[in-house]
Amino acid sequence: MEEKDKPNEEDDQEVNPWKVSAKDGGKIDYDKLIDKFGCQRLDQSLIERVKRLTGRPPHVFLRRGVFFAHRDFNEILDAYERGYKFYLYTGRGPSSESLHLGHLIPFMFTKYLQDAFKVPLVIQLTDDEKCMWKDLSVEESIRLARENAKDIIACGFDISKTFIFSDFNFMCPAFYKNIVRVAKCVTINKAVGIFGFTGEDHIGKISFPPVQAVPSFPSSFPHLFCHKDNLRCLIPCAIDQDPYFRMTRDVAPRIGHRKPSLIESSFFPALQGENGKMSASDPNSAIYVTDSAKDIRNKINKYAFSGGQDSIENHRKYGANLEVDIPIKYLGFFLEDDAELEHIRAEYGAGRMLTGEVKKRLIEVLTELVERHRVARAAVTDETVDAFMAIRSLPYMFD
């Protein structure tokens, strides 16, 4: 096997779809994670290929290394260069009514990929997963999925190229057949090795991974792709989802499918610092798409961890520690202008710019982003959600 799946008792960090933590509250070491998972670093040559093949500037998340790792992304680009289309697959586990900015990152990037490569997209809402992992009823999970779908649609996806589905409401025969095919190929021991399940986990958790695996296979969507079962699939996701797709890539050739390719992002830090963790139980750990301009200003000023010095005199003398400064990290995600970002980094790092000035610029950037999203979401009706979830064919895309 090319993918690694055995837990290491000496690991000083734990990263899986349900838990992200480092020893003693430290930072995640992404180089160690790449080595442990067996994926590849996304290098500059691949970013330049994206630019050349699409004729578009690389997305800010590519330019700044937010999406930093991949599995066979080069093969997707090779095939695309030869004239073969692919489709995108990403998803959301709807555990809360409101999304925070970290939740938006994979969708913002997927929107760029859809536009740049002009390819279709399937978005899975794993309401069944959240029902099993969280204290949620089936009915509440379904409701949250629809609410989350509105935020996803507000990112601007092309309805003619996008199919959104919730697991509870979409389990067609072809989809379920693939679930069973995958499930028969994964032993209990392998599931424990990949996901860390224990004897205390209920059987619903153990049965779920094939459900997230099978949207990687075009045969799961005969209504979309008209039985073009050889299509390649590219999955943009955070790297904590990698275990699902290590399993999928191992199983795929055994059931007659291509291995899906992945392009994976780092984690969006909590306001309190990279040692902190964004939590739905702590609304002050993140900026939400429902936050008002006042909320954003108060959260940034009060909670955003600063790398500035303890006095203006020391700050002017020593400058800011950019490695720990959250306002700088957030600007790295959301400030589009590369030259302005480098100017702020240089001035702040040298002590010529103060923490308050950096926070003020971040407040402006995030307020504009959240307000733009709020306006877009307000235009998404229940009828719009129904249209994105409607069963329909997309054959013309592959003519």
Side-chain angles (χ1 to χ4, degrees):
M1 280 184 59
E2 64 180 64
E3 289 88 6
K4 304 178 183 182
D5 59 16
K6 291 190 179 298
N8 184 346
E9 293 181 359
E10 297 180 357
D11 281 351
D12 55 5
Q13 56 189 16
E14 184 177 3
V15 175
N16 59 50
W18 313 287
K19 184 176 181 181
V20 176
S21 65
K23 186 178 180 181
D24 299 325
K27 293 170 60 175
I28 296 295
D29 186 324
Y30 290 105
D31 288 327
K32 284 186 178 179
L33 208 54
I34 285 175
D35 181 64
K36 177 185 176 183
F37 284 178
C39 47
Q40 300 87 43
R41 174 71 68 171
L42 188 67
D43 61 29
Q44 189 61 35
S45 66
L46 286 176
I47 296 172
E48 289 300 318
R49 281 192 76 190
V50 171
K51 179 180 180 180
R52 178 171 59 82
L53 290 173
T54 65
R56 291 176 176 242
H59 193 277
V60 63
F61 294 161
L62 278 179
R63 300 198 307 268
R64 297 180 188 158
V66 174
F67 278 80
F68 72 102
H70 74 100
R71 291 183 184 275
D72 295 343
F73 184 47
N74 53 309
E75 293 187 9
I76 288 284
L77 298 182
D78 290 344
Y80 186 81
E81 193 163 20
R82 295 195 302 269
Y84 295 101
K85 290 287 185 74
F86 59 92
Y87 74 98
L88 297 162
Y89 157 42
T90 194
R92 160 76 183 146
S95 60
S96 61
E97 189 160 320
S98 176
L99 305 188
H100 58 59
L101 294 184
H103 294 143
L104 287 187
I105 286 171
F107 295 108
M108 294 169 70
F109 186 63
T110 301
K111 168 70 164 61
Y112 158 79
L113 292 174
Q114 182 183 65
D115 292 345
F117 289 98
K118 300 179 176 60
V119 291
L121 162 67
V122 296
I123 299 174
Q124 181 183 39
L125 302 174
T126 55
D127 41 10
D128 52 343
E129 177 198 23
K130 292 308 175 185
C131 180
M132 289 187 286
W133 261 266
K134 304 286 186 178
D135 186 21
L136 296 171
S137 68
V138 169
E139 292 73 21
E140 178 66 359
S141 298
I142 292 172
R143 187 187 73 82
L144 292 177
R146 287 187 64 87
E147 290 301 309
N148 285 192
K150 293 176 181 178
D151 278 312
I152 293 168
I153 293 167
C155 292
F157 293 108
D158 183 345
I159 191 170
S160 71
K161 297 183 178 73
T162 305
F163 175 56
I164 300 175
F165 67 98
S166 81
D167 289 341
F168 275 133
N169 290 327
F170 176 83
M171 192 66 77
C172 67
F175 196 88
Y176 186 64
K177 287 174 186 175
N178 278 340
I179 288 174
V180 172
R181 290 177 181 124
V182 171
K184 288 180 68 176
C185 292
V186 182
T187 65
I188 294 293
N189 286 340
K190 185 166 289 294
V192 169
I194 296 173
F195 299 104
F197 294 131
T198 71
E200 300 304 311
D201 287 311
H202 60 69
I203 60 174
K205 292 184 178 182
I206 297 172
S207 69
F208 175 75
V211 179
Q212 186 156 323
V214 301
S216 308
F217 308 142
S219 65
S220 297
F221 306 102
H223 65 289
L224 291 181
F225 301 133
C226 295
H227 303 287
K228 291 179 170 62
D229 294 346
N230 208 33
L231 286 174
R232 290 171 173 83
C233 176
L234 174 63
I235 305 170
C237 62
I239 198 167
D240 62 336
Q241 299 300 302
D242 190 88
Y244 281 120
F245 302 113
R246 293 205 303 278
M247 179 197 76
T248 307
R249 285 167 54 84
D250 178 45
V251 169
R254 296 159 62 188
I255 60 173
H257 285 286
R258 294 181 183 272
K259 294 182 178 183
S261 300
L262 282 82
I263 184 165
E264 301 177 313
S265 74
S266 56
F267 304 118
F268 190 68
L271 282 169
Q272 288 82 355
E274 287 194 279
N275 296 352
K277 181 174 172 58
M278 286 182 285
S279 170
S281 63
D282 180 8
N284 295 319
S285 69
I287 304 295
Y288 287 80
V289 295
T290 51
D291 283 344
S292 67
K294 181 180 178 181
D295 292 333
I296 294 170
R297 183 174 65 252
N298 289 342
K299 285 183 179 183
I300 296 298
N301 284 331
K302 187 173 182 180
Y303 299 108
F305 187 83
S306 169
Q309 302 298 329
D310 57 1
S311 68
I312 293 179
E313 180 183 2
N314 283 340
H315 186 80
R316 297 294 190 196
K317 183 177 180 180
Y318 300 111
N321 180 352
L322 303 184
E323 291 301 310
V324 301
D325 192 90
I326 288 298
I328 284 290
K329 291 184 183 297
Y330 277 28
L331 286 172
F333 280 84
F334 298 118
L335 179 60
E336 289 280 348
D337 190 319
D338 291 339
E340 183 183 0
L341 179 63
E342 286 311 305
H343 174 75
I344 292 172
R345 288 177 60 86
E347 293 296 296
Y348 190 39
R352 293 185 292 270
M353 181 178 279
L354 299 176
T355 297
E357 297 173 275
V358 178
K359 287 188 173 183
K360 180 176 182 294
R361 183 65 182 115
L362 176 61
I363 290 166
E364 293 170 350
V365 169
L366 296 188
T367 300
E368 180 182 351
L369 186 157
V370 170
E371 179 58 27
R372 187 167 60 244
H373 183 87
R374 182 182 293 113
V375 171
R377 192 194 193 280
V380 179
T381 64
D382 286 331
E383 290 74 21
T384 309
V385 175
D386 290 340
F388 271 89
M389 291 183 166
I391 304 297
R392 60 202 188 281
S393 176
L394 307 176
Y396 68 91
M397 294 179 150
F398 304 101
D399 290 343

